[in-house]
């Protein structure tokens, strides 16, 4: 048998990602790394209920900053989905996955580009990564959370992406088949 990590890494950039774009997640906790990436704007080793982490609202993409990047581990997700909306442009994408296989979500934002490879200060992007564990196989193996695949064993899953017309209303849920459930307009 082999131990492995399994993750999906859909990155999003302009024009979907710009100042004011929104990230909707089910109820969860956001946790920063003990060792943050270069140019991080979030303090290390902080855990809080989504979307607030210290003084930052992670559900709203801020304007470009000079070479800022942050990585957050979203855990204890109520279900397996996320949505990214750009109300200004009227567009959004929602992704649904099997939360039993991928119980975590990595939230990686680069604002104005990171100083190092591969950005060199040139990009603004957001990657939301459904995964079995973060950040490393060694850590996952030590915790017993790595996927163990036996010879001849096969694992299957499905992930669905749905494009939609976005407005100011946040999503409450993304169901299989692309069904979107919106929060009450008064909650927006």
């Amino acid at each position: 048998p082999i131990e492995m990590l399994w993750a999906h890494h859909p990155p999003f950039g302009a024009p979907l990602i710009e100042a004011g774009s929104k990230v909707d997640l089910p109820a969860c906790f956001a946790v920063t790394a003990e060792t943050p990436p270069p140019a991080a704007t979030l303090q290390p080793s902080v855990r809080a209920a989504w979307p607030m982490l210290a003084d930052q609202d992670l559900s709203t993409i801020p304007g470009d900053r000079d070479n800022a990047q942050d990585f957050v581990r979203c855990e204890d997700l109520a279900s397996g989905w996320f949505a990214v909306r750009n109300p200004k442009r009227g567009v959004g994408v929602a992704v649904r996955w099997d939360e039993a296989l991928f119980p975590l979500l990595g939230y990686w934002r680069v604002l104005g580009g990171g100083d190092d490879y591969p950005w060199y200060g040139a990009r603004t992007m957001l990657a939301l990564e459904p995964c079995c564990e973060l950040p490393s196989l060694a850590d996952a193996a030590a915790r017993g959370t790595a996927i163990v695949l036996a010879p001849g064993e096969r694992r299957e899953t499905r992930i669905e992406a749905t494009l939609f017309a976005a407005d100011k209303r946040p999503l409450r849920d993304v169901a299989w088949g692309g069904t979107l459930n919106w929060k009450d307009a008064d909650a927006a």
Side-chain angles (χ1 to χ4, degrees):
I2 63 167
E3 294 174 318
M4 65 180 214
L5 295 184
W6 189 354
H8 295 270
H9 178 80
F12 304 96
L16 178 63
I17 302 301
E18 63 183 351
S21 293
K22 300 291 187 175
V23 179
D24 298 327
L25 296 181
C28 66
F29 288 92
V31 183
T32 59
E34 290 177 23
T35 305
T41 66
L42 298 168
Q43 296 297 313
S45 303
V46 176
R47 185 176 197 267
W50 173 267
M52 296 304 296
L53 200 57
D55 63 344
Q56 292 192 44
D57 179 353
L58 298 178
S59 70
T60 301
I61 301 298
D64 283 352
R65 298 182 180 163
D66 293 332
N67 298 331
Q69 65 176 310
D70 290 296
F71 189 83
V72 174
R73 173 186 167 117
C74 298
E75 53 190 33
D76 300 328
L77 291 150
S79 61
W81 65 269
F82 70 74
V84 179
R85 299 177 289 117
N86 186 323
K88 180 173 116 181
R89 296 184 184 272
V91 65
V93 60
V95 175
R96 179 76 171 97
W97 68 89
D98 176 1
E99 64 269 15
L101 185 58
F102 306 116
L104 302 174
L105 180 72
Y107 172 105
W108 180 35
R109 68 180 183 189
V110 177
L111 305 170
D115 285 329
D116 56 359
Y117 174 84
W119 311 117
Y120 300 113
R123 303 262 189 223
T124 295
M125 71 92 193
L126 174 72
L128 296 167
E129 307 166 346
C131 55
C132 69
E133 184 57 271
L134 290 169
S136 74
L137 179 57
D139 292 341
R143 285 192 293 272
T145 55
I147 292 174
V148 178
L149 197 61
E153 183 179 357
R154 179 180 164 156
R155 297 274 176 107
E156 291 183 1
T157 192
R158 71 178 185 175
I159 295 177
E160 295 180 351
T162 303
L163 300 179
F164 62 93
D167 56 29
K168 293 183 179 186
R169 296 174 300 154
L171 286 169
R172 182 183 61 223
D173 185 46
V174 175
W176 290 110
T179 301
L180 306 176
N181 297 300
W182 302 92
K183 287 187 180 175
D184 186 332
D186 293 333

